[in-house]
Amino acid sequence: MDGMTQDEITPVDPTIDPKGHEQQARSQEIQARFQQAVVMLHAKQYDYAVKSLHRVLELAPRLPEAHVNMGYALIGLEQYKAAADFFDTATTLNPMQINAYYGLALAYEGQKKYRTAISAMDSFIHLADDNDPSLPKARAASWEWGELIRMELSGE
């Protein structure tokens, strides 16, 4: 869920470089709001996370990590369709954003779209490192959704 870190920043003098100062202030706000959102996500304060991430996305609409975290916040609020849209945007911005595929699978699960959830989770599984701690859970979820589909088809 994380994704951004704040580097050591040397302040830009607004009297010498007003544009540089403005860019630096914008970057600092993005980082601060992003970190606030991460803390709120971990605390399960999803409404507050959404508010912080909304501001991040106003300032940096092409930041895939912000789209991913917004997706997870929306899953926390059980707004699965909206969450899927944010995860999908993250994968469009960065096709290697593997945590977006995992979240996308969860968003489709929440909508009971198990075939699509399996497809998204398979993308996560394919891209994940063999030692990724989420891999066993991802494989188990994909298998469980497959079982749900089989049960549906057999009328159980």
Side-chain angles (χ1 to χ4, degrees):
M1 278 188 289
D2 304 320
M4 287 185 63
T5 58
Q6 187 156 353
D7 298 326
E8 192 71 27
I9 297 173
T10 305
V12 175
D13 186 336
T15 58
I16 296 172
D17 184 3
K19 188 170 186 141
H21 176 73
E22 180 183 331
Q23 289 173 338
Q24 185 178 58
R26 181 184 193 94
S27 177
Q28 288 173 330
E29 183 179 357
I30 291 167
Q31 290 178 354
R33 296 287 185 136
F34 188 90
Q35 293 306 320
Q36 286 173 342
V38 168
V39 169
M40 293 296 105
L41 278 172
H42 288 293
K44 299 183 187 316
Q45 298 293 316
Y46 304 116
D47 285 324
Y48 294 115
V50 165
K51 288 176 184 164
S52 287
L53 289 164
H54 180 71
R55 180 64 179 150
V56 170
L57 289 168
E58 283 178 353
L59 297 168
R62 300 191 50 80
L63 184 63
E65 295 86 354
H67 288 274
V68 169
N69 284 357
M70 182 68 89
Y72 282 111
L74 291 168
I75 284 176
L77 294 171
E78 298 181 8
Q79 296 178 18
Y80 301 112
K81 170 68 174 95
D85 291 342
F86 278 97
F87 290 124
D88 188 50
T89 300
T91 63
T92 299
L93 292 170
N94 179 5
M96 299 304 290
Q97 189 76 39
I98 67 170
N99 59 345
Y101 295 104
Y102 193 99
L104 187 58
L106 298 179
Y108 284 128
E109 176 193 28
Q111 297 175 70
K112 301 192 183 331
K113 295 180 177 181
Y114 300 115
R115 289 186 202 295
T116 314
I118 290 169
S119 178
M121 195 61 84
D122 285 350
S123 294
F124 170 82
I125 292 167
H126 175 74
L127 293 170
D129 291 331
D130 289 338
N131 60 352
D132 189 307
S134 298
L135 207 48
K137 191 173 180 180
R139 289 184 175 128
S142 189
W143 182 85
E144 287 175 23
W145 298 329
E147 286 299 303
L148 288 171
I149 293 168
R150 282 186 278 288
M151 288 171 51
E152 232 176 59
L153 292 173
S154 69
E156 294 179 35

